[in-house]
C-alpha cells in the first residue's frame, strides 16, 4: 500500500501539467467527465440528460464503468492525472477518502444553494471521513418487513396484523411452518435468508455500538450483541440450521425465490424487491410493515448509499459541483426515481416523503419511515470488508453451534482489532506523506 502513496508523490513531483481552469470545447461549454458504475445497461443517466438540457454552460459526458473494474480504473486514472470530474459509486466513502482519492468538499458546503439536511441523516453521516465531507448521497435501498397475506389466512393469522415484536414473529412462524414426512415444506421466517442480517438488526435495536466512542476499539462482545445472536438462534423454533439450509436448497432466483414462490411467509427485504414481485409473481398477495422490534425498543434498519464525489486531480471541480447539486435536488430525484426500471430509494428526504413518490406503491411510506430509523452498516470505515467478513464467519459458527456466541464474537473481535490497528497506523502514514486535496 505504501507503494501507491509513493507513486502518487513521485508522479506529483515529476509530472507538471499546465491546465486551464475549465475544459472549454468549441461549443463554449465546460465539458465534464462523469463516470458511473453500470449494470447490464449502459444508458446515459436521466439526471445527466436533464442537466445538459437545463443550462448551456456545462456539458456532462457520461462513461459507464463495470462494477468489477471500477476501483482499478478510477485509481489508475488518478495516478495518471487524468481522472473524471465526477464519479458515482456505492462502496464506502472513507475507503476512498483515506486513499486521498477524493476531493475534500468542506469548502463547497458553504454554497447557499446546498442544504445537507435534505438527506437522511444516516446517509449524510456516511459521507464523512475524519470530520470532513467527501461525497454527496444520491440513492439507497430501504428495508422493511414483507409478509404473505394468503399464508397468514391459511395459518389462522390476521393478514392485516403483521408481527410487531420478535416474540410475536416466533409465534407466527410456528403457525406458518409446515412439514411433510418430517421435512420442511413451508417455513415462517429464516434468520439467515436475505441481505440484511437479523442478528445485526436486533443488535441495533438493543442499542449495541460495536466499538468505543473513539472508534479505535472493537467491542463485539458487548452483552447487547451477544443477546442479539442468542435471540436470532431462537427464531429457528427448534429446527436445526442444517434442516433449514436443506430446505433453502430448494429456493432459487426469480419465480423460485423463497418468498415469491410461497415457501417462506415472512422476510426482511428492500424496496427493490417490489419490482421482483411485479415481474415474477404479480398476483402475490403480500403486505409490508415495519421491521419487528423488542418490547420497549423501536424498530431499526440498516442500509448504505450510492454517492457522487469529485476525484483527486479533477480539472473542473466547480462545474462538477454544479452537476452534483443538480442531481440531488428534490425535483430531479423525484423525476429520476419515477423514470427508473428498478426503484432505487432516493436519498433526498423531501423526495421520498412527497405525495408523488408515495403514491407509486402502498409500501413507500413504510420504507420512508424505516429510513428515519436506520443505522449505517459502516462500523469501521477503514476495514469495512474485514469487519463484515469476520462478523459473518462468527455468525456461521454460532448458528452451526461450533462456538458459543461469546467465543465466536471474541475470536472475530480479536481479528478485527488487529486489522483495525494496522489500518489506523497506515492511515497515519498516508496523512503524513500526502495531503488531502481541497475544493477550490
Amino acid at each position: 500500500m505504501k507503494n501507491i502513496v509513493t507513486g502518487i508523490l513521485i508522479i506529483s513531483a515529476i509530472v507538471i501539467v499546465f491546465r486551464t481552469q475549465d475544459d472549454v470545447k468549441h461549443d463554449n461549454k465546460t465539458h465534464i467527465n462523469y463516470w458511473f458504475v453500470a449494470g447490464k445497461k449502459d444508458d446515459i443517466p436521466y439526471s445527466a440528460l436533464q442537466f445538459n438540457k437545463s443550462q448551456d454552460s456545462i456539458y456532462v459526458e457520461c462513461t459507464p464503468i463495470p462494477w468489477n473494474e471500477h476501483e482499478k480504473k478510477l485509481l489508475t486514472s488518478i495516478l495518471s492525472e487524468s481522472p473524471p470530474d465526477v464519479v458515482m459509486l456505492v462502496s464506502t466513502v472513507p475507503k476512498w477518502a483515506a486513499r486521498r482519492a477524493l476531493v475534500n468538499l468542506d469548502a463547497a458546503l458553504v454554497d447557499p444553494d446546498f442544504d445537507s439536511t435534505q438527506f437522511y441523516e444516516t446517509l449524510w453521516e456516511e459521507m464523512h471521513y475524519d470530520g470532513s465531507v467527501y461525497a454527496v448521497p444520491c440513492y439507497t435501498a430501504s428495508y422493511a418487513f414483507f409478509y404473505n397475506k394468503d399464508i397468514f389466512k391459511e395459518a389462522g393469522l390476521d393478514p392485516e396484523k403483521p408481527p410487531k415484536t420478535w416474540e410475536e414473529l416466533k409465534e407466527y412462524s410456528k403457525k406458518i411452518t409446515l412439514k411433510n414426512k418430517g421435512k420442511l415444506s413451508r417455513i415462517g421466517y429464516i434468520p439467515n435468508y436475505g441481505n440484511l442480517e437479523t442478528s445485526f438488526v436486533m443488535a441495533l435495536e438493543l442499542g449495541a455500538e460495536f466499538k468505543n466512542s473513539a472508534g479505535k476499539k472493537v467491542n463485539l462482545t458487548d452483552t447487547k450483541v451477544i443477546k442479539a445472536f442468542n435471540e436470532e438462534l431462537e427464531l429457528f423454533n427448534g429446527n436445526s440450521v442444517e434442516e433449514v439450509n436443506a430446505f433453502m436448497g430448494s429456493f432459487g432466483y426469480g419465480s423460485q425465490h423463497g418468498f415469491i414462490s410461497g415457501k417462506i411467509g415472512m422476510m426482511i427485504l428492500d424496496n427493490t424487491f417490489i419490482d421482483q414481485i411485479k415481474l415474477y409473481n404479480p398476483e402475490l398477495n403480500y403486505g409490508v410493515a415495519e421491521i419487528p422490534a423488542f418490547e420497549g425498543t423501536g424498530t431499526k434498519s440498516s442500509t448504505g448509499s450510492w454517492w457522487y464525489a469529485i476525484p483527486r486531480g479533477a480539472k473542473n471541480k466547480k462545474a462538477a459541483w454544479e452537476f452534483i447539486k443538480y442531481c440531488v435536488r428534490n425535483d430531479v430525484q423525484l423525476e429520476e426515481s419515477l423514470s427508473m426500471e428498478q426503484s432505487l430509494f432516493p436519498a433526498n428526504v423531501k423526495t421520498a416523503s412527497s405525495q408523488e413518490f408515495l403514491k407509486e406503491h402502498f409500501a413507500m411510506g413504510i420504507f420512508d419511515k424505516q429510513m428515519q430509523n436506520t443505522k449505517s452498516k459502516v462500523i469501521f470505515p477503514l476495514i469495512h470488508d474485514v469487519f463484515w467478513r469476520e462478523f459473518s464467519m462468527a455468525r456461521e459458527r454460532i448458528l452451526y453451534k461450533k462456538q458459543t456466541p461469546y467465543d465466536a464474537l471474541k475470536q472475530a473481535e480479536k481479528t478485527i482489532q488487529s486489522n483495525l490497528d494496522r489500518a489506523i497506523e497506515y492511515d497515519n502514514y498516508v496523512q503524513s506523506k500526502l495531503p488531502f486535496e481541497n475544493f477550490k
Side-chain angles (χ1 to χ4, degrees):
M1 291 295 287
K2 291 185 179 182
N3 291 335
I4 294 176
V5 177
T6 304
I8 293 175
L9 292 171
I10 292 172
I11 291 172
S12 299
I14 296 175
V15 181
I16 301 176
V17 180
F18 294 96
R19 292 171 171 161
T20 58
Q21 180 64 30
D22 290 318
D23 185 13
V24 180
K25 301 290 177 76
H26 295 300
D27 58 7
N28 292 320
K29 292 182 180 181
T30 299
H31 285 237
I32 62 173
N33 295 311
Y34 169 39
W35 289 10
F36 60 97
V37 174
K40 294 180 181 178
K41 284 191 164 186
D42 293 343
D43 294 343
I44 295 175
Y46 177 90
S47 53
L49 287 171
Q50 295 305 116
F51 179 77
N52 286 340
K53 294 176 183 178
S54 71
Q55 42 73 53
D56 57 9
S57 60
I58 303 169
Y59 186 83
V60 179
E61 298 177 349
C62 300
T63 303
I65 52 177
W67 169 256
N68 60 349
E69 296 179 15
H70 78 280
E71 187 168 335
K72 178 181 177 181
K73 282 183 177 292
L74 183 54
L75 288 174
T76 299
S77 73
I78 292 170
L79 283 167
S80 61
E81 296 196 340
S82 57
D85 298 294
V86 184
V87 292
M88 184 173 78
L89 301 175
V90 71
S91 50
T92 62
V93 171
K95 172 182 176 180
W96 292 91
R99 296 170 169 177
R100 308 303 186 264
L102 304 178
V103 170
N104 184 314
L105 297 177
D106 287 351
L109 301 184
V110 300
D111 189 328
D113 294 328
F114 182 80
D115 179 11
S116 63
T117 63
Q118 68 186 306
F119 306 112
Y120 287 104
E121 185 178 347
T122 295
L123 301 184
W124 183 244
E125 288 174 356
E126 285 192 350
M127 303 299 105
H128 290 71
Y129 168 70
D130 202 23
S132 291
V133 173
Y134 290 87
V136 175
C138 52
Y139 288 101
T140 185
S142 180
Y143 286 85
F145 186 76
F146 285 60
Y147 64 100
N148 187 311
K149 289 187 174 185
D150 288 340
I151 289 178
F152 266 45
K153 289 179 187 176
E154 188 181 325
L157 298 168
D158 188 336
E160 303 307 321
K161 291 184 178 179
K164 293 184 178 181
T165 67
W166 294 111
E167 192 61 36
E168 286 182 347
L169 184 145
K170 263 192 292 186
E171 295 306 311
Y172 283 34
S173 187
K174 287 178 183 176
K175 293 181 178 181
I176 290 171
T177 299
L178 296 176
K179 289 190 175 183
N180 183 16
K181 296 180 180 179
K183 293 184 178 181
L184 289 166
S185 59
R186 189 176 73 191
I187 196 166
Y189 184 81
I190 302 177
N192 59 330
Y193 183 51
N195 295 329
L196 189 58
E197 300 82 354
T198 301
S199 50
F200 183 64
V201 172
M202 287 177 155
L204 293 178
E205 291 179 343
L206 292 168
E209 292 293 340
F210 303 98
K211 59 185 177 182
N212 68 353
S213 58
K216 295 183 178 182
K217 182 173 175 55
V218 184
N219 188 20
L220 268 189
T221 50
D222 179 346
T223 55
K224 295 172 182 176
V225 180
I226 294 172
K227 177 177 172 58
F229 275 97
N230 281 320
E231 292 287 345
E232 182 180 48
L233 281 170
E234 291 189 17
L235 293 181
F236 283 91
N237 281 329
N239 299 303
S240 70
V241 176
E242 291 83 358
E243 183 181 11
V244 173
N245 282 349
F247 178 57
M248 286 168 57
S250 67
F251 299 173
Y253 297 98
S255 61
Q256 299 304 309
H257 183 277
F259 187 78
I260 291 176
S261 63
K263 292 181 178 179
I264 180 170
M266 303 173 286
M267 279 193 75
I268 297 175
L269 297 161
D270 71 77
N271 61 286
T272 64
F273 199 77
I274 290 171
D275 298 321
Q276 299 298 306
I277 294 174
K278 288 179 182 176
L279 182 62
Y280 295 108
N281 190 359
E283 302 304 315
L284 186 66
N285 185 18
Y286 69 100
V288 180
E290 291 184 8
I291 295 170
F294 293 101
E295 289 287 353
T297 73
T299 181
K300 283 287 186 291
S301 182
S302 186
T303 191
S305 178
W306 290 85
W307 43 268
Y308 294 108
I310 302 174
R312 182 186 189 90
K315 294 185 291 182
N316 305 300
K317 296 181 181 64
K318 291 182 179 179
W321 177 246
E322 291 302 316
F323 174 57
I324 291 173
K325 280 196 306 177
Y326 176 87
C327 290
V328 297
R329 273 175 23 188
N330 173 30
D331 58 331
V332 177
Q333 283 240 302
L334 179 60
E335 292 171 5
E336 186 165 50
S337 296
L338 298 181
S339 73
M340 289 179 174
E341 289 186 11
Q342 187 179 46
S343 307
L344 290 178
F345 204 80
N348 190 305
V349 178
K350 290 182 180 178
T351 303
S353 60
S354 68
Q355 287 303 310
E356 295 93 332
F357 186 75
L358 293 177
K359 71 181 182 183
E360 280 298 295
H361 190 273
F362 72 85
M364 288 307 173
I366 298 294
F367 289 119
D368 174 40
K369 191 176 291 187
Q370 286 285 179
M371 282 301 301
Q372 296 176 41
N373 292 285
T374 286
K375 290 269 193 174
S376 174
K377 290 193 79 173
V378 182
I379 309 300
F380 294 100
L382 295 178
I383 55 164
H384 178 71
D385 294 341
V386 171
F387 175 84
W388 281 107
R389 180 194 71 203
E390 294 302 319
F391 184 95
S392 298
M393 289 171 65
R395 186 186 189 209
E396 186 171 339
R397 294 193 297 272
I398 292 168
L399 294 181
Y400 280 94
K401 295 183 167 49
K402 302 291 185 182
Q403 289 179 302
T404 66
Y406 177 84
D407 289 340
L409 292 168
K410 188 66 178 177
Q411 181 178 326
E413 182 180 84
K414 183 178 179 181
T415 302
I416 296 168
Q417 186 67 61
S418 176
N419 279 269
L420 179 62
D421 292 342
R422 290 197 299 272
I424 291 172
E425 181 181 1
Y426 176 70
D427 189 49
N428 290 334
Y429 168 78
V430 174
Q431 290 195 38
S432 70
K433 297 295 183 180
L434 186 66
F436 289 105
E437 182 174 330
N438 296 316
F439 179 88
K440 58 183 178 180

